[in-house]
Amino acid sequence: MGARGLALLATVVALAVDLGWRAAVVPGAGLGWGLAFGTDAPLWVLSTEGLLQGAIPAVPPGWPALAALPRLLGLPLVPAGALVSQLAGAAIPGAGAWVARKAGASVAASAGVALVLWAWPDRAPWAAEVQANGLGALALLVATGLAAQVLSGRARWAAPAAAPPGWAWLAAVLVGALPLLRENLAVVSLAAVLGLPLLVRGGAGLAAVVLATWWLSPLLVGAGPGPTPLQTPWGDRGSRALQDLGAGSGAPPAYVAELPRHLRGAYLQLLREGDTVGLVRWHAARSLALAPDAWALGAAGALTAATQGRRRPALAAVLLPLAVLAPTLVFWSQRRHLVLALPALLAVAASGFQVPAGGGRPAGQGRRVERLLLATTLLLVGLALASWPATWVRHAQAARGEALRAATLAELGAWLCQQPEPLLGGPIQDVGLYCPRPRHDPDGSAADAHTLVVAPRRQPPPAPADAWTRVGPPAADLVVYRWRPGEPRPCPQGRPAPGTPYLSAGPVHAALVGCVEPSP
């Protein structure tokens, strides 16, 4: 079977697996297509709505831009994002088989890549999420495959191809665009800028394309490039990571609150003492514990490239996904940051199992050594798979909990969208996923009368308390406050000004068009 046919079959089966996952965690009609899954769903989905209104997104804009396309065609906000994630997630097994086949793996080994990626416990949940994890993993996988093709004909230690691949420039653009999908993929672009001139004939020109694409990418959302490629309007991950590592006696990094209590004290002590070596050891141990499967496959891919890379230059492409793993030994990371690289690492490791062409394999003692190395690769892959049943269970438990909360928010959102107020306020921004409206936090201005405030039940109403009344249907632990029900609203014809954000990291004042009022 050809690479394209294998990829298509793998994608179709992946869709079936994903539907089975949805049926298992969200039983009933609809399979949760209207529910927003994902730890950072509000950031990604509401950035999509803001992008459509001309605002610079709070996250890398690649996923929001793609989700905006079905949104423009009339799909509701959450299903539009779910469609993008589902297509990306379902394409991963097929893309993995294609990359492995193009890198020289046998049909059986390539089919094995698809089989393993069907069973990968992060893929189906990512396909159900409304954020960019699956899309980032897919883009890195395809970039690795294209890099393998470039290296096969242009690596400095190999005989040059008759003609350089015409799409090498496309590969450079894709690698440069990876940070538009996930901030932590910027390290892949950096590795390409540094490595291409050393590893590839004509690599300096390709590196310049990678750097230009990466640095100028903010222009795509109407913003200017920063002083360095790492500094973008939607984040500065590199500088933040370095600041957090050397936080010392200053304010602790925000992620400390995510640590379990029994780990938090020891970590804060390392920060206070400025023990950089201790912090690096702590992060390295955490990275290995979070994603032993990614590290096992990283070792397998590195072993394959180290032992066969001289006669098969394409395998050097493993440096791209390995670049994703390396910073997690030093900086704060979550499992999703590491396993983005897993499909690409698996595809390279599987490429060690190839059908030789023209007697290209060693004989005698060399052949025995190769068999030993392949057996070691299989052992590493087996170690990676050993942790997956428990990971499936954890993901399923978390998804069921997310589904219950999302269903509550969706019900509340449907009620909010039937109300005349055009603004939403309060700390619960998730409800905006199901009723996307601009933000306003009560500040005594006329916009208060045009705002519904969604807050935890135990939280007191906005000030002044006598101006706000609980309204709306019960929604578990949430309540909705309305400004002086039954009284005439000031500026009844006022509408939120264009550009009012749909997502906020702090208090927001919404100006009303057609309303003259003193500044709050």
Side-chain angles (χ1 to χ4, degrees), residues 42 46-47 49-50 53 55 429 432 435-439 499-504:
L46 294 177
S47 289
E49 191 69 17
Q53 306 301 324
Q429 300 195 53
C435 183
R437 292 185 175 180
R439 302 284 307 170
T500 305
Y502 284 72
L503 183 71
S504 65

Side-chain angles (χ1 to χ4, degrees), residues 66-504:
L66 291 175
L69 297 178
R71 177 68 168 149
L72 289 172
L73 296 176
L75 274 184
L77 189 56
V78 171
L83 177 63
V84 172
S85 293
Q86 179 60 76
L87 293 176
I92 288 174
W98 175 80
V99 170
R101 195 81 178 98
K102 288 297 183 181
S106 65
V107 172
S110 300
V113 170
L115 179 64
V116 171
L117 291 176
W118 291 333
W120 178 31
D122 297 278
R123 189 196 59 79
W126 281 0
E129 290 179 350
V130 283
Q131 52 193 56
N133 293 321
L135 185 61
L138 176 64
L140 177 60
L141 177 58
V142 173
T144 302
L146 293 177
Q149 293 294 293
V150 173
L151 285 161
S152 65
R154 303 178 72 169
R156 291 189 180 276
W157 64 92
W167 36 257
W169 305 107
L170 174 62
V173 170
L174 177 58
V175 172
L178 287 176
L180 290 173
L181 301 175
R182 294 285 319 194
E183 282 186 273
N184 64 309
L185 291 180
V187 69
V188 179
S189 302
L190 178 61
V193 170
L194 298 177
L196 279 170
L198 301 176
L199 301 177
V200 176
R201 295 186 186 93
L206 294 175
V209 172
V210 173
L211 181 61
T213 304
W214 178 19
W215 205 336
L216 299 178
S217 60
L219 295 174
L220 297 175
V221 292
T228 70
L230 287 171
Q231 294 168 293
T232 63
W234 49 87
D236 185 3
R237 186 179 181 87
S239 298
R240 288 201 313 270
L242 290 172
Q243 290 169 2
D244 291 346
L245 190 62
S249 59
Y255 59 73
V256 170
E258 301 179 34
L259 290 174
R261 289 184 180 275
H262 67 283
L263 298 176
R264 197 177 304 166
Y267 187 76
L268 287 173
Q269 183 65 25
L270 290 173
L271 283 175
R272 283 192 293 267
E273 294 175 354
D275 186 353
T276 302
V277 175
L279 287 169
V280 169
R281 284 202 303 265
W282 189 93
H283 283 295
R286 173 183 167 83
S287 175
L288 294 169
L290 279 175
D293 47 354
W295 282 107
L297 289 174
L303 179 63
T304 300
T307 56
Q308 302 184 37
R310 181 160 293 278
R311 58 189 174 86
R312 299 176 59 202
L315 296 178
V318 75
L319 293 173
L320 294 183
L322 284 177
V324 176
L325 298 186
T328 67
L329 294 171
V330 181
F331 302 124
W332 169 263
S333 299
Q334 297 285 15
R335 175 176 169 83
R336 61 182 179 272
H337 300 142
L338 288 98
V339 296
L340 279 175
L342 188 147
L345 293 169
L346 175 65
V348 175
S351 301
F353 300 87
Q354 61 168 339
V355 177
R361 280 187 171 179
Q365 183 69 24
R367 179 62 176 150
R368 286 192 291 272
V369 171
E370 184 180 83
R371 285 175 176 171
L372 176 62
L373 293 172
L374 292 178
T376 304
T377 299
L378 278 176
L379 175 62
L380 289 168
V381 173
L383 290 174
L385 302 183
S387 64
W388 284 6
T391 305
W392 270 112
V393 172
R394 289 197 301 271
H395 284 336
Q397 292 172 342
R400 291 191 182 102
E402 280 190 81
L404 291 173
R405 176 162 177 80
T408 298
L409 290 171
E411 180 182 350
L412 180 58
W415 180 86
L416 290 171
C417 277
Q418 296 174 2
Q419 309 309 308
E421 287 85 355
L423 296 165
L424 289 177
I428 308 299
Q429 300 195 53
D430 305 49
V431 74
L433 297 168
Y434 309 99
C435 183
R437 292 185 175 180
R439 302 284 307 170
H440 172 74
D441 291 294
D443 54 11
S445 66
D448 291 4
H450 299 256
T451 302
L452 291 173
V453 175
V454 183
R457 187 175 296 275
R458 294 183 179 181
Q459 179 173 311
D466 60 353
W468 296 89
T469 302
R470 286 188 184 183
V471 295
D477 59 339
L478 303 179
V479 295
V480 180
Y481 292 102
R482 171 177 277 148
W483 184 87
R484 301 189 189 279
E487 294 189 16
R489 291 187 295 174
C491 299
Q493 304 302 319
R495 307 301 299 170
T500 305
Y502 284 72
L503 183 71
S504 65

